[in-house]
Amino acid sequence: MSSRTPSRPLGTVTRGTTNPNRLRRMDRWIVAALGRELRRSDDPVAVDLGYGAAPWTAVELLGRLRTVRADAEVVGIEIDPERVARGRAYERPGLHFAHGGFEVPLPGPGARAPVLIRAANVLRQYEEAEVAAVWERLCARLAPGGLLVEGTCDEIGRRHVWVALGPAGPRTVTFATRLGSLDRPSDLAERLPKALIHRNVPGEPVHAFLSDFDRAWAASAPYGALGARQRWIRSARLLATDWPLTDGPTRWRQGELTVRWEALAPR
């Protein structure tokens, strides 16, 4: 990333595209994955980094987190001051908006460490070579046991792929979709996060994974008579014989599948 004076936020203004419920699949997964940590946190604050031209995703994230922790807080952070001003019209107890970037400034006194940083559709415009440094910077801001969730989805939230990272680095990759929108699992390749999207070529692990996923999907076609959900679950069972999946039928029923990062990491 280019060098900047300390007073300027780190990063570049995104297109800001957003829609209500766009991140509902990601939020649902976050609540399941992070619920235990939220419950025991002394400071259950989360960051919606680069929420876009409207504050819907920050508002919705707060609602999701408060199903687990009634005193959860969300800070929406944007590098565009005009977007921050629009967001502040929606502030209420537990929901705040701040001007900033990858330095993740949290308003108020003290050095607060977020239990969650969600950065959806933020790194898409950056170069692949810049991703590792951004991940490292954001992970360094996390509370112990916290998560950075960074990924990409389409405009109405039908298809998502995201990486979950802890303070020590990347852990998993999750593929999530509205199953009725899917012809084959490799359709999700267009939503791979920046660290992986240019690696979907022969010889790279993510390409091998998606190819195997398509083969499992084809082999599971008879289960389609029972619905797309049953076909997805059967495909996941087949994949699990060769790939280190970290979830099971409870998540698969949601149109999700999570695999360990090291299995898909670029060579």
Side-chain angles (χ1 to χ4, degrees), residues 102-220:
F102 296 138
E103 74 279 11
V104 186
L106 294 180
R112 305 178 74 187
V115 71
L116 168 71
I117 300 174
R118 186 186 64 184
N121 305 300
V122 172
L123 295 185
R124 187 86 167 182
Q125 67 186 24
Y126 289 82
E127 297 297 326
E128 181 185 349
E130 297 177 285
V131 171
V134 172
W135 279 0
E136 183 177 4
R137 177 181 290 276
L138 295 178
C139 285
R141 296 287 286 118
L142 291 170
L147 279 182
L148 164 63
V149 179
E150 186 273 306
T152 305
C153 69
D154 66 2
E155 287 73 11
I156 58 174
R158 294 171 305 172
R159 299 175 183 177
H160 295 239
V161 187
W162 61 80
V163 181
L165 306 92
R171 297 176 178 174
T172 59
V173 183
T174 298
F175 299 80
T177 186
R178 183 169 68 82
L179 292 169
S181 74
L182 203 68
D183 289 327
R184 56 183 182 176
S186 61
D187 291 346
L188 289 165
E190 67 184 18
R191 297 301 163 183
L192 286 167
K194 194 66 177 191
L196 294 173
I197 193 165
H198 299 302
R199 302 299 181 133
N200 186 29
V201 294
E204 287 284 349
V206 69
H207 183 272
F209 174 79
L210 288 171
S211 297
D212 281 358
F213 205 168
D214 278 352
R215 282 190 283 271
W217 183 253
S220 301

